[in-house]
């Protein structure tokens, strides 16, 4: 049996259940349907790699888009070379299976597989494809790399957002269909990313609904193609996290400052810029472009120029946490999803205080932080020392760093929805039972798919082989194997940290 995986970044049952989508309905009818619990924190990095490796972030060495170095007080922008683990497709390649991987976040730069890998978003201008000699062929066939103009369009609203998302996702599905038509594959993974930024800005609105409808139309064509194959295919749908509406944004580093855990440096480079004061920021750039009627002009500009202009714009309400923190006088800092305790001699005491105060933090009586996880309890592996000490989870607020003016809340933040722990899982085909209301951990997917394909499972995974969702077509006994070494898989060249950092700013993940 062959396997096709459709990944939907931020895929949400809240939207899927609201729409009539024939392609998805075909998969949920007679298949395994349920929720997929994301990583902690539930963000694209590291969640997609938790899916593809079956491991927790403590074994991967990546805890977000950036990793914080406590000793140097610096951030490292993460790319595929920073994840210390082979993936599902590496084990399949090692078994002689031919694999295709298209557009999954965390895969730039791409690495060697027995087949084809096309890197996902947060990529550079080149080096998108393994084998590299196939890149010109891909671009000539109409594959559209994600640009700054596309990212602006995802925030613009209306037909601009709808048509841009449609163009991008059609390009991804088109590449997948062409590869599947021209070549033989045993496993194929296609990820659609544009759902994430569109949902952040237009939750439960037409832009989101039309994006899902476009995905479903493409999915129907792809299922027809798989039906024509002489071999049987299992089709699996996964998301890295779910989505939910939020009330606004909260500045957690400002909260830490007000609680006495963080000291701000009072220097010129931490003051709000003139552009911030007059309201010209990265966050509202798309709206300004649209209001001025110059969207087509921006589309014609060189990508490098658009990125340079965007780099010069400040973020809306925040300033750099790394540049603004007085490291000698601070006990804790919030960075990219986690709180790092800086005073090691009082670590446990500070963690207790912060956890207690966070859980009692209210906004007009509304609870701001719903859960606080200690990484000692949720991570294990050789990289746990590099992890944040606490992971706060909020159902109703986007978590930001330091505000310019000392305010705690930003109810007018550009995001109207954010990630939630509960994502999407569907398994359809000969390997899966007809079951509903199941719950899987995101780390269960890789070992379960390997076993469903009758391939041995590496014995260092954290996830479980979920034989309770597999049919009697799959052998009961799980075969295990020794893990591959990371050096056997991730020998890719490094990506420019400035390119990745700029992309994350454009997407609203870092200030």
């Amino acid at each position: 049996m062959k396997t096709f995986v459709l990944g939907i970044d931020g895929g949400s049952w809240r939207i899927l259940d609201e729409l009539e989508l024939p392609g998805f309905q075909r998969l949920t009818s007679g298949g395994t349907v349920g929720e997929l619990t994301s990583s902690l924190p539930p963000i694209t990095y590291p969640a997609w790699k938790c899916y593809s490796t079956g491991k927790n972030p403590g074994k991967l060495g990546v805890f977000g888009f950036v990793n914080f170095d406590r000793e140097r007080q610096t951030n490292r922008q993460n790319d595929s070379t920073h994840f210390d683990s082979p993936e599902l497709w590496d084990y399949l390649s090692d078994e002689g299976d031919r694999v295709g991987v298209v557009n999954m976040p965390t895969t730039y730069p791409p690495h060697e597989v027995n087949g084809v890998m096309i890197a996902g978003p947060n990529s550079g201008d080149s080096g998108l494809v393994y084998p590299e000699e196939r890149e010109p062929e891909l671009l000539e066939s109409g594959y559209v790399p994600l640009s700054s103009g596309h990212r602006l369009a995802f925030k613009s609203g209306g037909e601009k957002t709808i048509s841009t998302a449609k163009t991008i996702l059609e390009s991804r599905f088109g590449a997948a269909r062409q590869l599947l038509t021209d070549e033989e594959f045993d496993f194929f993974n296609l990820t659609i990313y544009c759902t994430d930024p569109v949902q952040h800005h237009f939750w439960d609105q037409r832009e989101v609904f039309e994006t899902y409808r476009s995905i479903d139309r493409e999915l129907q064509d792809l299922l027809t193609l798989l039906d024509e194959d002489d071999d049987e295919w299992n089709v699996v749908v996964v998301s890295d996290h779910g989505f939910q509406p939020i009330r606004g944004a909260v500045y957690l580093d400002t909260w830490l400052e007000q609680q006495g855990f963080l000291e701000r440096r009072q220097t010129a480079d931490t003051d709000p810029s003139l552009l911030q004061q007059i309201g010209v920021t990265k966050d509202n750039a798309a709206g300004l472009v649209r209001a001025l009627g110059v969207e087509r002009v921006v589309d014609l500009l060189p990508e490098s120029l658009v990125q340079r202009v965007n780099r010069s714009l400040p973020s809306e309400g925040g300033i750099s946490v790394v540049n603004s923190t007085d490291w000698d006088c601070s006990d804790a800092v919030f960075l990219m999803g986690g709180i790092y305790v800086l005073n090691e001699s009082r670590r446990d005491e500070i963690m207790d205080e912060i956890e207690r105060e966070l859980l009692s933090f209210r906004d007009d009586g509304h609870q701001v932080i719903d859960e606080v996880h200690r990484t000692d309890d949720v991570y294990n592996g050789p990289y746990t020392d590099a992890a944040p000490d606490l992971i706060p989870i909020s159902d109703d607020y986007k978590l930001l760093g330091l505000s310019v003016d000392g305010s705690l809340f930003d109810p007018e933040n550009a995001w109207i929805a954010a990630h939630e722990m509960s994502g999407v899982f569907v398994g359809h085909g000969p390997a899966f039972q007809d079951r509903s209301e199941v719950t899987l951990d995101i780390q269960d997917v890789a070992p379960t798919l390997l076993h469903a394909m009758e391939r041995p499972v590496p014995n260092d995974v954290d996830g479980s082989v979920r034989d309770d969702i597999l049919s009697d077509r799959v052998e009961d006994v799980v075969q295990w194997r020794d893990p591959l070494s990371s050096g056997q898989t991730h020998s890719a060249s490094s990506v420019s940290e400035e390119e990745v950092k700029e992309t994350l700013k454009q997407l609203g993940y870092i200030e």
Side-chain angles (χ1 to χ4, degrees):
M1 291 180 284
K2 299 180 176 181
T3 300
F4 183 94
V5 178
L6 174 61
I8 303 176
D9 204 294
S12 171
W13 285 119
R14 296 172 188 261
I15 301 298
L16 289 169
D17 286 342
E18 194 170 341
L19 301 175
E20 289 289 330
L21 302 171
F24 283 102
Q25 289 169 355
R26 173 183 164 185
L27 295 179
T28 56
S29 175
T32 299
V33 181
E35 297 182 350
L36 192 64
T37 303
S38 185
S39 62
L40 282 167
I43 51 179
T44 300
Y45 287 55
W48 279 120
K49 277 293 195 287
C50 294
Y51 145 70
S52 64
T53 64
K55 297 179 183 178
N56 83 93
K59 290 181 179 177
L60 302 179
V62 170
F63 305 94
F65 285 107
V66 300
N67 270 28
F68 176 60
D69 186 326
R70 299 174 202 247
E71 293 184 4
R72 299 174 181 170
Q73 292 93 47
T74 58
N75 281 332
R76 180 195 75 195
Q77 309 300 319
N78 290 317
D79 62 40
S80 68
T81 64
H82 295 117
F83 289 89
D84 186 16
S85 179
E87 299 171 78
L88 168 63
W89 30 86
D90 298 315
Y91 286 102
L92 291 171
S93 295
D94 192 57
E95 294 291 328
D97 294 312
R98 199 154 190 282
V99 303
V101 182
V102 175
N103 199 49
M104 193 182 89
T106 72
T107 55
Y108 183 80
H111 67 268
E112 180 180 354
V113 291
N114 182 33
V116 179
M117 180 178 289
I118 303 172
N122 305 338
S123 302
D125 294 328
S126 60
L128 305 176
V129 183
Y130 176 86
E132 60 182 323
E133 60 268 19
R134 299 192 63 169
E135 185 163 318
E137 163 199 339
L138 175 78
L139 297 177
E140 290 169 8
S141 71
Y143 192 87
V144 182
L146 196 65
S147 70
S148 298
H150 297 134
R151 297 184 186 104
L152 282 172
F154 292 152
K155 306 175 185 179
S156 295
E159 291 301 325
K160 183 68 173 179
T161 294
I162 293 169
S163 63
T164 302
K166 184 172 182 287
T167 296
I168 294 297
L169 68 89
E170 285 179 350
S171 166
R172 308 305 183 250
F173 272 99
R177 284 196 302 270
Q178 193 63 54
L179 286 167
L180 287 163
T181 299
D182 294 345
E183 305 172 34
E184 288 290 326
F185 291 93
D186 300 290
F187 174 90
F188 206 99
N189 187 110
L190 167 65
T191 308
I192 300 302
Y193 174 73
C194 59
T195 40
D196 185 273
V198 174
Q199 288 179 130
H200 277 308
H201 294 275
F202 304 104
W203 175 255
D204 212 24
Q205 297 176 28
R206 180 168 173 262
E207 290 85 347
V208 170
F209 299 149
E210 291 303 318
T211 298
Y212 272 80
R213 290 187 179 108
S214 293
I215 292 173
D216 193 70
R217 286 190 292 269
E218 295 295 318
L219 174 60
Q220 291 176 65
D221 290 343
L222 189 138
L223 293 176
T224 299
L225 177 64
L226 298 182
D227 287 341
E228 295 170 354
D229 196 320
D230 292 335
D231 294 309
E232 293 181 297
W233 283 85
N234 294 303
V235 179
V236 177
V237 181
V238 295
S239 66
D240 54 337
H241 50 73
F243 249 87
Q244 60 190 348
I246 57 175
R247 293 166 59 95
V250 59
Y251 290 95
L252 275 194
D253 281 295
T254 301
W255 179 86
L256 287 170
E257 180 183 28
Q258 293 183 6
Q259 297 295 314
F261 297 107
L262 183 148
E263 290 285 337
R264 190 186 304 221
R265 290 173 52 230
Q266 298 301 320
T267 57
D269 63 351
T270 68
D271 293 333
S273 69
L274 175 61
L275 288 172
Q276 279 176 313
Q277 294 177 46
I278 65 175
V280 179
T281 68
K282 287 181 173 67
D283 308 84
N284 62 17
L288 291 173
V289 167
R290 184 173 66 252
L292 294 171
V294 293
E295 291 172 294
R296 292 188 178 181
V297 175
V298 172
D299 289 342
L300 296 173
L301 294 175
E303 172 68 7
S304 57
L305 176 59
V306 176
Q307 289 195 7
R308 282 202 303 273
V309 172
N310 197 67
R311 273 196 292 271
S312 70
L313 297 177
S315 295
E316 184 172 345
I319 53 180
S320 168
V321 175
V322 171
N323 294 338
S324 304
T325 298
D326 186 330
W327 297 102
D328 294 330
C329 299
S330 296
D331 288 328
V333 63
F334 171 77
L335 287 166
M336 203 59 211
I339 294 175
Y340 295 80
V341 175
L342 306 174
N343 187 336
E344 191 62 32
S345 65
R346 295 181 55 232
R347 179 175 181 265
D348 290 342
E349 177 186 351
I350 292 170
M351 287 173 63
D352 289 341
E353 291 179 20
I354 292 176
E355 180 177 3
R356 182 173 60 251
E357 295 302 321
L358 276 177
L359 291 174
S360 63
F361 183 20
R362 297 293 187 270
D363 174 20
D364 289 334
H366 191 86
Q367 186 162 346
V368 176
I369 301 299
D370 298 279
E371 301 173 11
V372 178
H373 296 272
R374 297 190 175 220
T375 53
D376 293 342
D377 298 330
V378 297
Y379 293 157
N380 68 83
Y383 298 103
T384 52
D385 287 346
D389 297 286
L390 297 170
I391 301 174
I393 300 294
S394 176
D395 291 338
D396 295 307
Y397 296 86
K398 175 184 179 182
L399 305 183
L400 295 175
L402 277 171
S403 62
V404 172
D405 58 4
S407 59
L408 277 178
F409 296 99
D410 179 9
E412 303 302 323
N413 189 269
W415 283 14
I416 63 173
H419 303 170
E420 68 173 341
M421 289 292 295
S422 179
V424 170
F425 179 85
V426 179
H428 182 93
F432 292 95
Q433 297 180 26
D434 182 358
R435 288 195 58 187
S436 60
E437 299 183 3
V438 301
T439 300
L440 284 77
D441 190 281
I442 197 167
Q443 299 169 39
D444 295 338
V445 180
T448 299
L449 294 186
L450 283 168
H451 179 56
M453 294 182 68
E454 300 181 344
R455 299 295 182 262
V457 179
N459 56 24
D460 63 343
V461 296
D462 296 306
S464 302
V465 173
R466 292 296 300 271
D467 53 8
D468 59 314
I469 67 171
L470 298 176
S471 73
D472 56 12
R473 292 277 302 275
V474 179
E475 290 288 337
D476 291 335
V477 179
V478 179
Q479 300 296 320
W480 299 94
R481 60 163 291 167
D482 291 333
L484 295 166
S485 69
S486 298
Q488 290 175 264
T489 59
H490 289 181
S491 56
S493 59
S494 181
V495 61
S496 163
E497 292 193 359
E498 188 60 34
E499 288 178 337
V500 178
K501 183 177 180 181
E502 181 51 35
T503 299
L504 299 181
K505 285 183 177 179
Q506 292 176 12
L507 294 175
Y509 284 107
I510 61 175
E511 299 293 335

